Structure formats: C-alpha cells, structure tokens
PDB file of all heavy atoms in Angstrom:
ATOM      1  N   VAL A 113     -52.652-127.726  23.366  1.00 92.00           N
ATOM      2  CA  VAL A 113     -52.070-127.878  22.024  1.00 92.00           C
ATOM      3  C   VAL A 113     -51.381-129.246  21.977  1.00 92.00           C
ATOM      4  O   VAL A 113     -50.793-129.726  22.951  1.00 92.00           O
ATOM      5  CB  VAL A 113     -51.069-126.783  21.672  1.00 92.00           C
ATOM      6  CG1 VAL A 113     -51.767-125.451  21.569  1.00 92.00           C
ATOM      7  CG2 VAL A 113     -49.929-126.707  22.680  1.00 92.00           C
ATOM      8  N   THR A 114     -51.473-129.901  20.849  1.00 93.00           N
ATOM      9  CA  THR A 114     -50.764-131.173  20.650  1.00 93.00           C
ATOM     10  C   THR A 114     -49.259-130.907  20.684  1.00 93.00           C
ATOM     11  O   THR A 114     -48.770-130.020  19.958  1.00 93.00           O
ATOM     12  CB  THR A 114     -51.152-131.833  19.308  1.00 93.00           C
ATOM     13  OG1 THR A 114     -52.575-132.012  19.275  1.00 93.00           O
ATOM     14  CG2 THR A 114     -50.475-133.144  19.143  1.00 93.00           C
ATOM     15  N   SER A 115     -48.569-131.620  21.528  1.00 94.00           N
ATOM     16  CA  SER A 115     -47.138-131.359  21.706  1.00 94.00           C
ATOM     17  C   SER A 115     -46.453-132.545  22.381  1.00 94.00           C
ATOM     18  O   SER A 115     -47.078-133.238  23.166  1.00 94.00           O
ATOM     19  CB  SER A 115     -46.960-130.108  22.573  1.00 94.00           C
ATOM     20  OG  SER A 115     -45.599-129.893  22.898  1.00 94.00           O
ATOM     21  N   THR A 116     -45.169-132.694  22.041  1.00 95.00           N
ATOM     22  CA  THR A 116     -44.336-133.680  22.746  1.00 95.00           C
ATOM     23  C   THR A 116     -43.231-132.995  23.532  1.00 95.00           C
ATOM     24  O   THR A 116     -42.300-133.645  24.022  1.00 95.00           O
ATOM     25  CB  THR A 116     -43.708-134.654  21.743  1.00 95.00           C
ATOM     26  OG1 THR A 116     -42.916-133.884  20.789  1.00 95.00           O
ATOM     27  CG2 THR A 116     -44.742-135.437  20.998  1.00 95.00           C
ATOM     28  N   ALA A 117     -43.333-131.655  23.674  1.00 96.00           N
ATOM     29  CA  ALA A 117     -42.293-130.884  24.358  1.00 96.00           C
ATOM     30  C   ALA A 117     -42.343-131.165  25.867  1.00 96.00           C
ATOM     31  O   ALA A 117     -43.300-130.713  26.552  1.00 96.00           O
ATOM     32  CB  ALA A 117     -42.444-129.393  24.094  1.00 96.00           C
ATOM     33  N   ALA A 118     -41.340-131.863  26.374  1.00 96.00           N
ATOM     34  CA  ALA A 118     -41.364-132.288  27.765  1.00 96.00           C
ATOM     35  C   ALA A 118     -40.328-131.567  28.641  1.00 96.00           C
ATOM     36  O   ALA A 118     -40.221-131.818  29.837  1.00 96.00           O
ATOM     37  CB  ALA A 118     -41.125-133.783  27.858  1.00 96.00           C
ATOM     38  N   THR A 119     -39.578-130.677  28.011  1.00 97.00           N
ATOM     39  CA  THR A 119     -38.561-129.863  28.760  1.00 97.00           C
ATOM     40  C   THR A 119     -38.677-128.432  28.316  1.00 97.00           C
ATOM     41  O   THR A 119     -39.274-128.099  27.291  1.00 97.00           O
ATOM     42  CB  THR A 119     -37.133-130.369  28.466  1.00 97.00           C
ATOM     43  OG1 THR A 119     -36.800-130.077  27.076  1.00 97.00           O
ATOM     44  CG2 THR A 119     -36.989-131.869  28.736  1.00 97.00           C
ATOM     45  N   VAL A 120     -38.070-127.533  29.093  1.00 96.00           N
ATOM     46  CA  VAL A 120     -38.095-126.113  28.774  1.00 96.00           C
ATOM     47  C   VAL A 120     -37.397-125.877  27.412  1.00 96.00           C
ATOM     48  O   VAL A 120     -37.897-125.079  26.586  1.00 96.00           O
ATOM     49  CB  VAL A 120     -37.469-125.277  29.864  1.00 96.00           C
ATOM     50  CG1 VAL A 120     -37.308-123.807  29.445  1.00 96.00           C
ATOM     51  CG2 VAL A 120     -38.286-125.361  31.154  1.00 96.00           C
ATOM     52  N   ASP A 121     -36.279-126.541  27.172  1.00 97.00           N
ATOM     53  CA  ASP A 121     -35.590-126.395  25.904  1.00 97.00           C
ATOM     54  C   ASP A 121     -36.465-126.799  24.727  1.00 97.00           C
ATOM     55  O   ASP A 121     -36.481-126.145  23.682  1.00 97.00           O
ATOM     56  CB  ASP A 121     -34.296-127.216  25.886  1.00 97.00           C
ATOM     57  CG  ASP A 121     -33.195-126.563  26.728  1.00 97.00           C
ATOM     58  OD1 ASP A 121     -33.245-125.341  26.930  1.00 97.00           O
ATOM     59  OD2 ASP A 121     -32.274-127.318  27.180  1.00 97.00           O
ATOM     60  N   GLU A 122     -37.213-127.889  24.899  1.00 97.00           N
ATOM     61  CA  GLU A 122     -38.092-128.349  23.822  1.00 97.00           C
ATOM     62  C   GLU A 122     -39.245-127.366  23.599  1.00 97.00           C
ATOM     63  O   GLU A 122     -39.696-127.170  22.470  1.00 97.00           O
ATOM     64  CB  GLU A 122     -38.593-129.740  24.118  1.00 97.00           C
ATOM     65  CG  GLU A 122     -37.516-130.808  24.034  1.00 97.00           C
ATOM     66  CD  GLU A 122     -37.969-132.174  24.508  1.00 97.00           C
ATOM     67  OE1 GLU A 122     -39.079-132.283  25.088  1.00 97.00           O
ATOM     68  OE2 GLU A 122     -37.205-133.164  24.303  1.00 97.00           O
ATOM     69  N   ILE A 123     -39.753-126.775  24.686  1.00 96.00           N
ATOM     70  CA  ILE A 123     -40.826-125.779  24.576  1.00 96.00           C
ATOM     71  C   ILE A 123     -40.333-124.543  23.819  1.00 96.00           C
ATOM     72  O   ILE A 123     -41.011-124.041  22.924  1.00 96.00           O
ATOM     73  CB  ILE A 123     -41.358-125.412  25.949  1.00 96.00           C
ATOM     74  CG1 ILE A 123     -42.157-126.552  26.566  1.00 96.00           C
ATOM     75  CG2 ILE A 123     -42.222-124.162  25.867  1.00 96.00           C
ATOM     76  CD1 ILE A 123     -42.560-126.328  27.994  1.00 96.00           C
ATOM     77  N   ILE A 124     -39.113-124.122  24.129  1.00 96.00           N
ATOM     78  CA  ILE A 124     -38.532-122.956  23.459  1.00 96.00           C
ATOM     79  C   ILE A 124     -38.395-123.212  21.967  1.00 96.00           C
ATOM     80  O   ILE A 124     -38.699-122.363  21.123  1.00 96.00           O
ATOM     81  CB  ILE A 124     -37.184-122.589  24.101  1.00 96.00           C
ATOM     82  CG1 ILE A 124     -37.448-121.976  25.493  1.00 96.00           C
ATOM     83  CG2 ILE A 124     -36.395-121.609  23.223  1.00 96.00           C
ATOM     84  CD1 ILE A 124     -36.179-121.753  26.302  1.00 96.00           C
ATOM     85  N   ALA A 125     -37.892-124.419  21.611  1.00 96.00           N
ATOM     86  CA  ALA A 125     -37.763-124.765  20.197  1.00 96.00           C
ATOM     87  C   ALA A 125     -39.119-124.790  19.490  1.00 96.00           C
ATOM     88  O   ALA A 125     -39.254-124.341  18.337  1.00 96.00           O
ATOM     89  CB  ALA A 125     -37.055-126.120  20.062  1.00 96.00           C
ATOM     90  N   GLU A 126     -40.119-125.278  20.199  1.00 94.00           N
ATOM     91  CA  GLU A 126     -41.481-125.340  19.618  1.00 94.00           C
ATOM     92  C   GLU A 126     -42.040-123.961  19.387  1.00 94.00           C
ATOM     93  O   GLU A 126     -42.633-123.678  18.321  1.00 94.00           O
ATOM     94  CB  GLU A 126     -42.367-126.142  20.588  1.00 94.00           C
ATOM     95  CG  GLU A 126     -43.780-126.370  20.078  1.00 94.00           C
ATOM     96  CD  GLU A 126     -44.578-127.206  21.100  1.00 94.00           C
ATOM     97  OE1 GLU A 126     -44.559-128.426  21.001  1.00 94.00           O
ATOM     98  OE2 GLU A 126     -45.213-126.579  21.972  1.00 94.00           O
ATOM     99  N   ILE A 127     -41.899-123.066  20.363  1.00 92.00           N
ATOM    100  CA  ILE A 127     -42.447-121.716  20.285  1.00 92.00           C
ATOM    101  C   ILE A 127     -41.731-120.925  19.181  1.00 92.00           C
ATOM    102  O   ILE A 127     -42.326-120.159  18.440  1.00 92.00           O
ATOM    103  CB  ILE A 127     -42.364-120.994  21.622  1.00 92.00           C
ATOM    104  CG1 ILE A 127     -43.261-121.633  22.618  1.00 92.00           C
ATOM    105  CG2 ILE A 127     -42.732-119.524  21.471  1.00 92.00           C
ATOM    106  CD1 ILE A 127     -43.031-121.175  24.050  1.00 92.00           C
ATOM    107  N   ALA A 128     -40.404-121.138  19.074  1.00 91.00           N
ATOM    108  CA  ALA A 128     -39.637-120.409  18.068  1.00 91.00           C
ATOM    109  C   ALA A 128     -40.107-120.710  16.652  1.00 91.00           C
ATOM    110  O   ALA A 128     -39.937-119.896  15.732  1.00 91.00           O
ATOM    111  CB  ALA A 128     -38.151-120.736  18.240  1.00 91.00           C
ATOM    112  N   ALA A 129     -40.696-121.893  16.456  1.00 88.00           N
ATOM    113  CA  ALA A 129     -41.093-122.302  15.156  1.00 88.00           C
ATOM    114  C   ALA A 129     -42.540-122.007  14.824  1.00 88.00           C
ATOM    115  O   ALA A 129     -42.974-122.035  13.647  1.00 88.00           O
ATOM    116  CB  ALA A 129     -40.877-123.817  14.976  1.00 88.00           C
ATOM    117  N   THR A 130     -43.352-121.705  15.836  1.00 83.00           N
ATOM    118  CA  THR A 130     -44.781-121.477  15.621  1.00 83.00           C
ATOM    119  C   THR A 130     -45.084-120.068  15.089  1.00 83.00           C
ATOM    120  O   THR A 130     -44.300-119.143  15.356  1.00 83.00           O
ATOM    121  CB  THR A 130     -45.592-121.744  16.904  1.00 83.00           C
ATOM    122  OG1 THR A 130     -46.996-121.719  16.592  1.00 83.00           O
ATOM    123  CG2 THR A 130     -45.305-120.646  17.932  1.00 83.00           C
ATOM    124  N   ARG A 131     -46.183-119.943  14.372  1.00 77.00           N
ATOM    125  CA  ARG A 131     -46.606-118.640  13.862  1.00 77.00           C
ATOM    126  C   ARG A 131     -47.963-118.238  14.392  1.00 77.00           C
ATOM    127  O   ARG A 131     -48.602-117.308  13.880  1.00 77.00           O
ATOM    128  CB  ARG A 131     -46.620-118.686  12.315  1.00 77.00           C
ATOM    129  CG  ARG A 131     -45.254-118.973  11.690  1.00 77.00           C
ATOM    130  CD  ARG A 131     -45.327-118.977  10.163  1.00 77.00           C
ATOM    131  NE  ARG A 131     -45.689-117.653   9.653  1.00 77.00           N
ATOM    132  CZ  ARG A 131     -44.840-116.658   9.443  1.00 77.00           C
ATOM    133  NH1 ARG A 131     -43.579-116.802   9.756  1.00 77.00           N
ATOM    134  NH2 ARG A 131     -45.266-115.513   8.941  1.00 77.00           N
ATOM    135  N   ILE A 132     -48.422-118.939  15.411  1.00 78.00           N
ATOM    136  CA  ILE A 132     -49.719-118.653  16.041  1.00 78.00           C
ATOM    137  C   ILE A 132     -49.469-118.191  17.468  1.00 78.00           C
ATOM    138  O   ILE A 132     -48.757-118.873  18.209  1.00 78.00           O
ATOM    139  CB  ILE A 132     -50.650-119.879  16.001  1.00 78.00           C
ATOM    140  CG1 ILE A 132     -50.851-120.358  14.562  1.00 78.00           C
ATOM    141  CG2 ILE A 132     -52.002-119.547  16.652  1.00 78.00           C
ATOM    142  CD1 ILE A 132     -51.644-121.646  14.482  1.00 78.00           C
ATOM    143  N   THR A 133     -50.090-117.089  17.843  1.00 73.00           N
ATOM    144  CA  THR A 133     -49.936-116.623  19.245  1.00 73.00           C
ATOM    145  C   THR A 133     -50.580-117.576  20.226  1.00 73.00           C
ATOM    146  O   THR A 133     -51.475-118.309  19.834  1.00 73.00           O
ATOM    147  CB  THR A 133     -50.542-115.230  19.439  1.00 73.00           C
ATOM    148  OG1 THR A 133     -51.956-115.290  19.270  1.00 73.00           O
ATOM    149  CG2 THR A 133     -49.941-114.230  18.452  1.00 73.00           C
ATOM    150  N   GLU A 134     -50.135-117.562  21.451  1.00 73.00           N
ATOM    151  CA  GLU A 134     -50.679-118.466  22.439  1.00 73.00           C
ATOM    152  C   GLU A 134     -52.162-118.302  22.690  1.00 73.00           C
ATOM    153  O   GLU A 134     -52.895-119.244  22.818  1.00 73.00           O
ATOM    154  CB  GLU A 134     -49.885-118.338  23.779  1.00 73.00           C
ATOM    155  CG  GLU A 134     -49.971-116.975  24.418  1.00 73.00           C
ATOM    156  CD  GLU A 134     -48.938-116.759  25.471  1.00 73.00           C
ATOM    157  OE1 GLU A 134     -49.156-117.173  26.616  1.00 73.00           O
ATOM    158  OE2 GLU A 134     -47.916-116.137  25.156  1.00 73.00           O
ATOM    159  N   ARG A 135     -52.620-117.048  22.740  1.00 60.00           N
ATOM    160  CA  ARG A 135     -54.068-116.836  22.977  1.00 60.00           C
ATOM    161  C   ARG A 135     -54.842-117.148  21.744  1.00 60.00           C
ATOM    162  O   ARG A 135     -55.966-117.620  21.800  1.00 60.00           O
ATOM    163  CB  ARG A 135     -54.290-115.405  23.499  1.00 60.00           C
ATOM    164  CG  ARG A 135     -53.740-115.124  24.847  1.00 60.00           C
ATOM    165  CD  ARG A 135     -54.230-113.779  25.385  1.00 60.00           C
ATOM    166  NE  ARG A 135     -55.633-113.783  25.695  1.00 60.00           N
ATOM    167  CZ  ARG A 135     -56.133-114.061  26.905  1.00 60.00           C
ATOM    168  NH1 ARG A 135     -55.324-114.350  27.914  1.00 60.00           N
ATOM    169  NH2 ARG A 135     -57.416-114.034  27.128  1.00 60.00           N
ATOM    170  N   GLY A 136     -54.283-116.808  20.590  1.00 62.00           N
ATOM    171  CA  GLY A 136     -54.969-117.097  19.344  1.00 62.00           C
ATOM    172  C   GLY A 136     -55.202-118.613  19.115  1.00 62.00           C
ATOM    173  O   GLY A 136     -56.219-119.005  18.514  1.00 62.00           O
ATOM    174  N   ALA A 137     -54.334-119.382  19.663  1.00 60.00           N
ATOM    175  CA  ALA A 137     -54.424-120.832  19.462  1.00 60.00           C
ATOM    176  C   ALA A 137     -55.265-121.515  20.536  1.00 60.00           C
ATOM    177  O   ALA A 137     -55.829-122.604  20.285  1.00 60.00           O
ATOM    178  CB  ALA A 137     -53.027-121.435  19.478  1.00 60.00           C
ATOM    179  N   THR A 138     -55.357-120.911  21.724  1.00 62.00           N
ATOM    180  CA  THR A 138     -55.902-121.710  22.838  1.00 62.00           C
ATOM    181  C   THR A 138     -56.966-121.020  23.711  1.00 62.00           C
ATOM    182  O   THR A 138     -57.430-121.604  24.676  1.00 62.00           O
ATOM    183  CB  THR A 138     -54.743-122.097  23.790  1.00 62.00           C
ATOM    184  OG1 THR A 138     -54.149-120.897  24.356  1.00 62.00           O
ATOM    185  CG2 THR A 138     -53.667-122.879  23.037  1.00 62.00           C
ATOM    186  N   ARG A 139     -57.413-119.817  23.391  1.00 56.00           N
ATOM    187  CA  ARG A 139     -58.360-119.142  24.262  1.00 56.00           C
ATOM    188  C   ARG A 139     -59.663-118.835  23.518  1.00 56.00           C
ATOM    189  O   ARG A 139     -59.741-117.977  22.646  1.00 56.00           O
ATOM    190  CB  ARG A 139     -57.760-117.813  24.816  1.00 56.00           C
ATOM    191  CG  ARG A 139     -56.561-118.056  25.712  1.00 56.00           C
ATOM    192  CD  ARG A 139     -56.908-118.890  26.937  1.00 56.00           C
ATOM    193  NE  ARG A 139     -57.805-118.209  27.838  1.00 56.00           N
ATOM    194  CZ  ARG A 139     -57.382-117.465  28.901  1.00 56.00           C
ATOM    195  NH1 ARG A 139     -56.079-117.388  29.157  1.00 56.00           N
ATOM    196  NH2 ARG A 139     -58.221-116.882  29.667  1.00 56.00           N
ATOM    197  N   ALA A 140     -60.719-119.570  23.914  1.00 57.00           N
ATOM    198  CA  ALA A 140     -62.006-119.408  23.286  1.00 57.00           C
ATOM    199  C   ALA A 140     -62.602-118.040  23.582  1.00 57.00           C
ATOM    200  O   ALA A 140     -63.362-117.484  22.776  1.00 57.00           O
ATOM    201  CB  ALA A 140     -62.973-120.480  23.794  1.00 57.00           C
ATOM    202  N   ASP A 141     -62.266-117.442  24.715  1.00 55.00           N
ATOM    203  CA  ASP A 141     -62.837-116.135  25.089  1.00 55.00           C
ATOM    204  C   ASP A 141     -62.418-115.036  24.160  1.00 55.00           C
ATOM    205  O   ASP A 141     -63.071-114.005  24.028  1.00 55.00           O
ATOM    206  CB  ASP A 141     -62.509-115.774  26.535  1.00 55.00           C
ATOM    207  CG  ASP A 141     -61.055-115.984  26.887  1.00 55.00           C
ATOM    208  OD1 ASP A 141     -60.424-116.915  26.340  1.00 55.00           O
ATOM    209  OD2 ASP A 141     -60.547-115.240  27.711  1.00 55.00           O
ATOM    210  N   ASP A 142     -61.283-115.209  23.488  1.00 50.00           N
ATOM    211  CA  ASP A 142     -60.792-114.178  22.558  1.00 50.00           C
ATOM    212  C   ASP A 142     -61.420-114.360  21.157  1.00 50.00           C
ATOM    213  O   ASP A 142     -61.208-113.519  20.263  1.00 50.00           O
ATOM    214  CB  ASP A 142     -59.275-114.288  22.387  1.00 50.00           C
ATOM    215  CG  ASP A 142     -58.537-113.777  23.630  1.00 50.00           C
ATOM    216  OD1 ASP A 142     -59.226-113.231  24.506  1.00 50.00           O
ATOM    217  OD2 ASP A 142     -57.305-113.985  23.756  1.00 50.00           O
ATOM    218  N   ARG A 143     -62.208-115.419  20.956  1.00 50.00           N
ATOM    219  CA  ARG A 143     -62.766-115.681  19.616  1.00 50.00           C
ATOM    220  C   ARG A 143     -64.228-115.218  19.545  1.00 50.00           C
ATOM    221  O   ARG A 143     -64.860-115.354  18.501  1.00 50.00           O
ATOM    222  CB  ARG A 143     -62.720-117.163  19.314  1.00 50.00           C
ATOM    223  CG  ARG A 143     -61.298-117.722  19.301  1.00 50.00           C
ATOM    224  CD  ARG A 143     -61.309-119.184  18.922  1.00 50.00           C
ATOM    225  NE  ARG A 143     -59.977-119.758  18.903  1.00 50.00           N
ATOM    226  CZ  ARG A 143     -59.697-120.973  18.464  1.00 50.00           C
ATOM    227  NH1 ARG A 143     -60.694-121.753  18.001  1.00 50.00           N
ATOM    228  NH2 ARG A 143     -58.477-121.448  18.492  1.00 50.00           N
ATOM    229  N   ALA A 144     -64.766-114.654  20.638  1.00 52.00           N
ATOM    230  CA  ALA A 144     -66.153-114.272  20.646  1.00 52.00           C
ATOM    231  C   ALA A 144     -66.442-113.205  19.573  1.00 52.00           C
ATOM    232  O   ALA A 144     -67.488-113.195  18.978  1.00 52.00           O
ATOM    233  CB  ALA A 144     -66.533-113.746  22.042  1.00 52.00           C
ATOM    234  N   SER A 145     -65.511-112.295  19.385  1.00 51.00           N
ATOM    235  CA  SER A 145     -65.637-111.268  18.348  1.00 51.00           C
ATOM    236  C   SER A 145     -64.252-110.735  18.028  1.00 51.00           C
ATOM    237  O   SER A 145     -63.297-111.012  18.759  1.00 51.00           O
ATOM    238  CB  SER A 145     -66.542-110.134  18.792  1.00 51.00           C
ATOM    239  OG  SER A 145     -65.912-109.324  19.779  1.00 51.00           O
ATOM    240  N   GLU A 146     -64.154-109.919  17.019  1.00 54.00           N
ATOM    241  CA  GLU A 146     -62.871-109.364  16.606  1.00 54.00           C
ATOM    242  C   GLU A 146     -62.299-108.454  17.700  1.00 54.00           C
ATOM    243  O   GLU A 146     -61.065-108.334  17.863  1.00 54.00           O
ATOM    244  CB  GLU A 146     -63.067-108.525  15.320  1.00 54.00           C
ATOM    245  CG  GLU A 146     -61.780-108.042  14.671  1.00 54.00           C
ATOM    246  CD  GLU A 146     -60.950-109.162  14.052  1.00 54.00           C
ATOM    247  OE1 GLU A 146     -61.500-110.272  13.860  1.00 54.00           O
ATOM    248  OE2 GLU A 146     -59.782-108.936  13.725  1.00 54.00           O
ATOM    249  N   ALA A 147     -63.189-107.830  18.468  1.00 59.00           N
ATOM    250  CA  ALA A 147     -62.751-106.906  19.523  1.00 59.00           C
ATOM    251  C   ALA A 147     -63.052-107.439  20.910  1.00 59.00           C
ATOM    252  O   ALA A 147     -63.230-106.683  21.853  1.00 59.00           O
ATOM    253  CB  ALA A 147     -63.402-105.544  19.327  1.00 59.00           C
TER     254      ALA A 147
END
C-alpha cells in the first residue's frame, strides 16, 4: 500500500483512519471469488 508511515505510531494513525481491511486491500487470493 502507498504509505509514508515509518513508525508504529504512524502506522496506528494510518490504520485508524482507513476503511478497507488489510486483506481486502492487499491479497489477490481473496479476490478470486466472493467465497
């Protein structure tokens, strides 16, 4: 994911603001089908 978060605190702030799950945003294997 495009990001400038270089510390744990910055990562926490980034995640708190996002509305997309980590797998939904970054895992192609979960996109093969709805199930």
Side-chain angles (χ1 to χ4, degrees):
V113 294
T114 302
S115 173
T116 58
T119 67
V120 172
D121 285 337
E122 289 173 351
I123 290 172
I124 289 172
E126 184 179 271
I127 293 169
T130 189
R131 298 181 63 84
I132 303 175
T133 66
E134 61 196 278
R135 293 190 70 93
T138 63
R139 294 300 292 266
D141 47 327
D142 289 350
R143 300 182 181 188
S145 72
E146 188 70 14

